[in-house]
Amino acid sequence: MVKLFFTIFVVVTLLTTAIFFYFKSQLKEQKLDHILDQITLELSDQLKTNELDALKLAVVLSKNSALVDAMENEDEDLGYEILSDIIQNIEKNTHSQVKIQIINADYTIFARSWDNVYAGMPLGDYRTDLEYFKTHNTPRTSIEVGRKLGIKATVPIYKNGVLLGFLEAIDFFEPVTDFFRAQGVDLYVLLDEKYYSIAVFMQENLMINKYIVANKNYNASHIEVLKNINFAQLKANRIVSINGRYVFYDTMRNGAGENIGAFVFILPDKYLDYFRDPEDNISFLINVTRSNLYNLERNRIAKQYTMYNSPSQILHIRDIISDEDKDDFAKSANKALQKYSKEELISLLLSGTTQKKIQGTIK
């Protein structure tokens, strides 16, 4: 009996242990899938923000009459002088780096904000994306391969119905890389080597497998790990574990939807717990800034007030309501305040409390 009991105990223990580790493994896989989802969502959001900022600047500068006149008169030196002066003022007052390029309708460089060396250089072989404007007259923002890979917001410039050329704001991937690094994740922007002959200004960049590393501020400590990755497996599975690190994959596409490379993220295994569990909806990272947490929490509290029951509640949350909720807040608050008298509202503004309620409406 003792032997039988011991055998049963061992079998049950082994089964329990196996089930425990199975479910633990399943939960870990779910968490990794969740992390990949959150990382790619954040990447999309960051890229869209950068694209929108670039587009705003490009649209504004494309309306500069002095630049348009210089283009019409084919005065490249004047165009560079005007553009350079504008950009220097922007950088001086915003402490941010801005790159603007103006391209003639024949796809030659008219002026660039950062130098006056390449005026007149043809770009037709490098910028097939500009073919888009043969059938469209609206601005375009996308990741494109030129002599460098970058985020380009391109605005066509017309005068009297005639296409003079294009003004584009160019951004690279350093801000996005810094954003993820602040969250504990290292980003590598990898351009497919088939674009090597086009990306002439990237031919000295680091090569990994069959990719060119496009972001200059990458973390060099993971390079050996990347060199040992089976990219076919990574592309197929989108998540691999190697040398105590988790590697995540997301396809990079240009404005035409073509696969031009990859965004690869590396998260050390020891930092896995920095990510919150899927059921936590306040933030996907623990190391989010205190100010961001405060903003998220105050908006959450404010949104709980779907019915404003008293002036004191309205007064309490009026300064913490988010901008996007202010219209709804104003309508609800106005409706709720109709049942209070002038005296009550005056008392509220003066002391933050209400006195005896008097029936009536504000007149």
Side-chain angles (χ1 to χ4, degrees), residues 49-144:
T49 298
N50 289 356
E51 288 176 359
L52 183 59
D53 288 343
L55 180 60
K56 289 177 182 177
L57 181 59
V59 169
V60 170
L61 291 180
S62 71
K63 303 300 181 183
N64 185 289
S65 58
L67 278 175
V68 174
D69 289 343
M71 289 187 69
E72 185 180 29
N73 296 324
E74 300 181 357
D75 193 337
E76 296 169 345
D77 291 333
L78 178 59
Y80 169 74
E81 183 180 336
I82 296 170
L83 185 60
S84 178
D85 183 61
I86 293 172
I87 299 307
Q88 284 179 19
N89 275 287
I90 291 175
E91 292 180 347
K92 178 181 178 181
N93 290 285
T94 65
H95 304 289
S96 60
Q97 297 294 314
V98 178
K99 290 188 179 295
I100 301 294
Q101 179 169 260
I102 301 177
I103 303 171
N104 291 314
D106 62 356
Y107 302 161
T108 59
I109 295 176
F110 175 74
R112 302 195 306 182
S113 63
W114 61 97
D115 63 48
N116 195 25
V117 177
Y118 293 98
M121 172 178 280
L123 295 177
D125 293 338
Y126 308 104
R127 297 296 305 277
T128 55
D129 58 290
L130 294 175
E131 299 291 319
Y132 168 88
F133 294 100
K134 288 184 176 180
T135 54
H136 300 77
N137 59 6
T138 54
R140 185 174 191 253
T141 59
S142 57
I143 297 173
E144 297 296 343

Side-chain angles (χ1 to χ4, degrees), residues 143-213:
I143 297 173
E144 297 296 343
V145 183
R147 290 179 296 175
K148 289 187 69 175
L149 177 71
I151 299 169
K152 297 180 174 69
T154 309
V155 179
I157 299 176
Y158 291 88
K159 186 169 184 180
N160 299 324
V162 177
L163 177 66
L164 298 180
F166 316 91
L167 186 145
E168 56 186 17
I170 305 172
D171 196 5
F172 301 105
F173 300 96
E174 281 69 26
V176 180
T177 305
D178 289 338
F179 170 83
F180 279 101
R181 178 174 294 136
Q183 308 300 331
V185 180
D186 290 303
L187 169 64
Y188 300 82
V189 182
L190 306 180
L191 177 66
D192 194 299
E193 68 172 358
K194 66 184 178 182
Y195 297 100
Y196 182 85
S197 61
I198 297 175
V200 293
F201 288 166
M202 296 174 58
Q203 291 177 352
E204 299 298 322
N205 287 22
L206 176 69
M207 295 285 298
I208 294 178
N209 198 274
K210 295 182 179 181
Y211 295 95
I212 307 168
V213 181

Side-chain angles (χ1 to χ4, degrees), residues 28 31-32 35 246 248 267-276:
K28 190 171 186 178
K31 185 168 187 175
L32 289 172
I35 290 173
Y246 289 102
F248 303 88
L267 175 70
D269 185 30
K270 61 182 179 180
Y271 297 146
L272 187 63
D273 290 338
Y274 280 21
F275 283 78
R276 293 182 176 272

Side-chain angles (χ1 to χ4, degrees), residues 226-243:
L226 287 173
K227 289 181 177 179
N228 291 318
I229 286 179
N230 182 330
F231 271 85
Q233 179 186 0
L234 175 61
K235 185 176 180 179
N237 298 332
R238 301 191 67 200
I239 303 173
V240 299
S241 176
I242 180 173
N243 296 343

